[in-house]
Amino acid sequence: MEKLVYLLEDDESIRELVRCTFDMNGIALKTFGTVREFKEAFGQRQPGVALLDIMLGDGDGITVLKKIKEQNPNVICIMLSALGKETDKVKCLNLGADDYVTKPFGILELTARVKVALRRLDGRETVMLRGDLCMNTGTMAVTLRGEKLELNRKEFKLLKFFMENEGKVLSRDEILQEVWGFEELETRTLDNHVARLRKLGIDYIQTIFGVGYKFAVSE
């Protein structure tokens, strides 16, 4: 993915501080003061990292976070907010945020966190091939034996988790925590999603009775 950072922040002084600091550290940055401007830019060019303020004049960063993760879950999202309660942080993390920085923040700490995020991009696999199954994690395109599969967001995330852990036995709690963000969920939800993937022709998902599932191309 492209090593470009987007900053959505309606406070001009913060935008300028981040811009100057990132420029001195060689970090490519584009800043936006409104959700509308951010969405227009994101539709044309997607960054590797997005810094999102939560409380904005024409919207909120949480809604933007949801849209980013729907369109490209590989974009690393770091929330910036004066809301410092643990419940606020957990809410964002459960919705797909990769990190959460409470305002007022130290600019050097933010810079360090962004550098770590940019390094993570190097290790992110863009295309995964498992048997006859191909997934492009950047475009969210999935094909089976050359035929495109239509997956919703949760189905894609579930399949991605299976493919990343090929050959491993995954417990139900582990899967629910990773894909849905918490363990206390009706397990039938997971079973229904697995059944949907199998119905599409993905026959690599094995049921491990009493435990969970395993994704295995060959035994």
Side-chain angles (χ1 to χ4, degrees), residues 42-144:
F42 191 87
Q44 298 174 4
R45 183 183 181 188
Q46 296 185 354
V49 178
L51 305 176
L52 306 173
D53 186 17
I54 291 183
M55 295 181 289
L56 299 156
D58 65 334
D60 66 89
I62 293 178
T63 301
V64 175
L65 167 67
K66 292 178 182 177
K67 295 298 294 183
I68 289 175
K69 291 300 182 177
E70 286 174 1
Q71 295 178 40
N72 188 346
N74 268 356
V75 175
I76 296 175
C77 294
I78 301 176
M79 310 307 292
L80 308 176
S81 177
L83 302 175
K85 293 182 180 179
E86 182 180 10
T87 52
D88 297 318
K89 298 178 181 180
V90 170
K91 179 181 179 181
C92 290
L93 293 172
N94 282 341
L95 289 173
D98 298 273
D99 200 354
Y100 192 107
V101 178
T102 304
K103 293 180 178 179
F105 54 79
I107 187 61
L108 297 181
E109 178 187 354
L110 178 63
T111 303
R113 287 176 182 265
V114 170
K115 285 183 176 180
V116 169
L118 290 171
R119 288 197 297 270
R120 284 172 55 194
L121 293 176
D122 292 331
R124 292 206 167 186
E125 191 172 11
T126 301
V127 177
M128 289 191 287
L129 296 172
R130 306 290 187 271
D132 296 322
L133 193 62
C134 177
M135 172 182 285
N136 186 313
T137 58
T139 63
M140 293 185 68
V142 179
T143 60
L144 179 64

Side-chain angles (χ1 to χ4, degrees), residues 202-216:
I202 302 173
D203 54 7
Y204 301 135
I205 305 171
Q206 302 175 7
T207 298
I208 308 299
F209 293 101
V211 181
Y213 293 97
K214 180 171 74 169
F215 184 94

